Amino acid sequence: MIIDVVKNILVNQMDVEESKITMETRLNEDLKFDSIDKAELITSLEDEFNVMVDYEQVLHVNTISEIIEEIKKYVKE
């Protein structure tokens, strides 16, 4: 599932505590992500799913659920 991959990347590559990750977690406010952090997350997701995403669109999302919805547009589960 996409959520599992997102969690794995956040925990193992970006040093986020797993307990802080929910569907409502806000990247900016809760995790203190900036645009570089978001770009790193997106790049990792692209690599993991072997897709290319529209960065302009994805960089505007702010919650874990929004990230998952955007990635779903590119990934066939």
Side-chain angles (χ1 to χ4, degrees), residues 23-24 38 49-50:
M23 294 298 278
E24 294 78 31
K38 282 185 181 181
F49 291 109
N50 197 28

Side-chain angles (χ1 to χ4, degrees), residues 4-38:
D4 297 324
V5 174
V6 171
K7 280 184 179 182
N8 185 46
I9 290 169
L10 289 170
V11 170
N12 295 313
Q13 294 179 18
M14 305 189 79
D15 295 324
V16 174
E17 291 179 37
E18 189 169 356
S19 63
K20 291 185 177 183
I21 304 169
T22 69
M23 294 298 278
E24 294 78 31
T25 299
R26 298 168 299 178
L27 299 175
N28 297 348
E29 294 87 349
D30 299 328
L31 300 182
K32 307 296 186 225
F33 274 27
D34 58 20
S35 58
I36 294 171
D37 294 320
K38 282 185 181 181

Side-chain angles (χ1 to χ4, degrees), residues 5 10 12 14 18-19 21 25 28-31 45-46 52-53 61 63-65 67 69-73 75:
V5 174
L10 289 170
N12 295 313
M14 305 189 79
E18 189 169 356
S19 63
I21 304 169
T25 299
N28 297 348
E29 294 87 349
D30 299 328
L31 300 182
L45 289 168
E46 284 181 322
M52 294 292 292
V53 302
V61 301
T63 65
I64 299 297
S65 63
I67 287 279
E69 289 305 310
E70 280 300 313
I71 295 299
K72 280 182 180 178
K73 293 178 183 177
V75 175

